[in-house]
C-alpha cells in the first residue's frame, strides 16, 4: 500500500526526474564557472564579475568567517566549509532558467561540472580560474532556507540523491587566485603523496 511519503517521492520524481539525464551529462574533467556570488551579510547577495579566493577565507568579502557556524563546538566557521558550490544543471532544475534566482541558493560558485561522489570525491582538487580548491568531507544539504526559496519538494529532491550531490559540495581554498564567470573548472590529478585529504 502506497504511503503519503511514497506518493510525495513519486511526485518529486515526476517533476524533477526529467532533469537527471541532463545533470548526468555535466562535464567530468573540464567545466565552466557560470556564476560567482558573494554574501557580504546574512540575506544579501552580490553577483560578481571577478572574485578573489583565499585560504581560510573563501571568497574575499564573503561573510563565511564572520557568520560562524552554530554547529561547530566553538561557534566558529567550519574549516571544511569555506566554499559552497552547486552544479548549474541541478540549480536550474529547482530555480528555473532565470539566473536572477540562482543567487538565492547561497552558493558562492555555480558551475557546470559533475560534482557527483564518483567524479569529485573528497580530496579532489579543482583548478577554478587561477585558484585551486579541494573538495572536503563536509556534506552540503538543502536546508530550511533552501526550502523557503525553492519549496519543500525541491529540497526533498535535492537531498534524495546523495551520490549525485545535487545540492553541491563544500570545498576549501588550497592555492589563492581569482575566478570569473566563464573561467574553466578543471579536475587536477590526484596527489598520491597526500594521505589525508580534507
Amino acid at each position: 500500500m502506497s504511503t503519503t511519503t511514497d506518493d510525495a517521492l513519486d511526485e518529486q520524481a515526476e517533476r524533477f526526474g526529467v532533469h537527471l539525464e541532463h545533470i548526468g551529462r555535466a562535464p567530468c574533467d573540464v567545466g565552466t564557472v557560470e556564476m560567482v556570488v558573494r554574501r557580504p551579510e546574512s540575506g544579501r547577495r552580490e553577483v560578481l564579475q571577478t572574485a578573489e579566493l583565499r585560504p581560510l577565507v573563501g571568497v574575499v568579502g564573503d561573510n563565511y568567517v564572520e557568520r560562524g557556524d552554530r554547529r561547530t563546538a566553538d561557534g566558529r566557521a567550519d574549516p571544511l566549509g569555506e566554499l559552497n558550490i552547486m552544479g548549474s544543471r541541478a540549480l536550474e532544475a529547482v530555480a528555473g532558467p532565470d539566473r536572477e534566482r540562482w543567487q538565492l541558493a547561497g552558493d558562492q560558485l555555480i558551475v557546470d561540472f559533475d560534482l557527483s561522489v564518483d567524479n569529485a570525491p573528497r580530496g579532489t582538487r579543482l583548478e577554478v580560474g587561477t585558484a585551486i580548491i579541494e573538495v572536503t568531507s563536509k556534506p552540503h544539504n538543502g536546508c530550511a532556507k533552501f526550502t523557503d526559496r525553492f519549496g519543500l519538494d525541491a529540497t526533498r529532491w535535492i537531498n534524495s540523491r546523495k551520490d549525485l550531490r545535487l545540492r553541491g559540495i563544500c570545498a576549501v581554498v588550497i592555492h589563492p587566485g581569482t575566478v570569473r564567470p566563464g573561467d574553466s573548472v578543471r579536475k587536477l590529478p590526484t596527489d598520491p603523496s597526500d594521505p589525508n585529504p580534507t
Side-chain angles (χ1 to χ4, degrees), residues 39 58 64 67 69 71 77-87 105-109 111 115-117 120-126 128 132-142 162 164-174 197-198:
R39 309 161 305 183
Y64 155 72
R67 187 177 71 249
D69 190 331
R71 293 164 293 193
D78 189 325
L80 300 181
E82 291 172 11
L83 295 172
N84 295 326
I85 304 166
M86 188 171 183
D107 299 83
Q108 296 103 324
L109 299 179
V111 300
L115 299 174
S116 69
V117 173
R122 176 177 72 109
T124 299
R125 290 193 173 183
L126 303 171
V128 182
I132 296 175
I133 66 174
E134 183 175 300
V135 179
T136 71
S137 58
K138 181 180 180 180
H140 188 30
N141 299 315
K162 303 296 186 186
L164 297 180
R165 290 200 187 119
L166 298 175
R167 181 62 188 93
I169 60 171
C170 292
V172 294
V173 181
I174 299 298
T198 50

Side-chain angles (χ1 to χ4, degrees), residues 32-34 85-89 109-113 115 185:
T32 308
V33 176
E34 298 291 333
I85 304 166
M86 188 171 183
S88 58
R89 299 180 188 220
L109 299 179
I110 308 299
V111 300
D112 188 18
F113 188 80
L115 299 174
V185 179

Side-chain angles (χ1 to χ4, degrees), residues 172-191:
V172 294
V173 181
I174 299 298
H175 179 79
T178 57
V179 59
R180 300 174 177 84
D183 280 351
S184 64
V185 179
R186 187 182 309 273
K187 187 160 66 168
L188 300 176
T190 303
D191 182 359

Side-chain angles (χ1 to χ4, degrees), residues 47-66:
V47 178
L48 304 175
Q49 292 307 306
T50 183
E52 181 184 352
L53 302 186
R54 190 184 300 164
L56 305 179
V57 173
V59 175
V60 173
D62 188 81
N63 70 347
Y64 155 72
V65 174
E66 292 80 5

Side-chain angles (χ1 to χ4, degrees), residues 6-167:
D6 292 335
D7 291 342
L9 289 174
D10 288 343
E11 190 173 314
Q12 292 161 28
E14 183 176 345
R15 179 178 172 191
F16 297 111
V18 66
H19 298 281
L20 288 178
E21 185 178 347
H22 181 56
I23 292 167
R25 292 197 299 267
C28 296
D29 295 312
V30 182
T32 308
V33 176
E34 298 291 333
M35 182 177 285
V36 182
V37 180
R38 178 167 60 198
R39 309 161 305 183
E41 57 190 48
S42 182
R44 189 172 157 217
R45 306 282 186 268
E46 295 176 348
V47 178
L48 304 175
Q49 292 307 306
T50 183
E52 181 184 352
L53 302 186
R54 190 184 300 164
L56 305 179
V57 173
V59 175
V60 173
D62 188 81
N63 70 347
Y64 155 72
V65 174
E66 292 80 5
R67 187 177 71 249
D69 190 331
R70 59 181 173 75
R71 293 164 293 193
T72 60
D74 58 6
R76 294 184 181 181
D78 189 325
L80 300 181
E82 291 172 11
L83 295 172
N84 295 326
I85 304 166
M86 188 171 183
S88 58
R89 299 180 188 220
L91 181 54
E92 185 174 9
V94 297
D98 180 1
R99 293 196 173 202
E100 285 296 314
R101 299 196 71 229
W102 286 16
Q103 60 187 290
L104 298 177
D107 299 83
Q108 296 103 324
L109 299 179
I110 308 299
V111 300
D112 188 18
F113 188 80
D114 180 359
L115 299 174
S116 69
V117 173
D118 284 345
N119 191 59
R122 176 177 72 109
T124 299
R125 290 193 173 183
L126 303 171
E127 184 181 62
V128 182
T130 62
I132 296 175
I133 66 174
E134 183 175 300
V135 179
T136 71
S137 58
K138 181 180 180 180
H140 188 30
N141 299 315
C143 61
K145 289 182 180 179
F146 193 90
T147 300
D148 288 344
R149 292 159 188 160
F150 302 113
L152 182 58
D153 285 348
T155 302
R156 286 175 172 162
W157 178 73
I158 280 289
N159 288 336
S160 70
R161 292 293 304 270
K162 303 296 186 186
D163 57 327
L164 297 180
R165 290 200 187 119
L166 298 175
R167 181 62 188 93

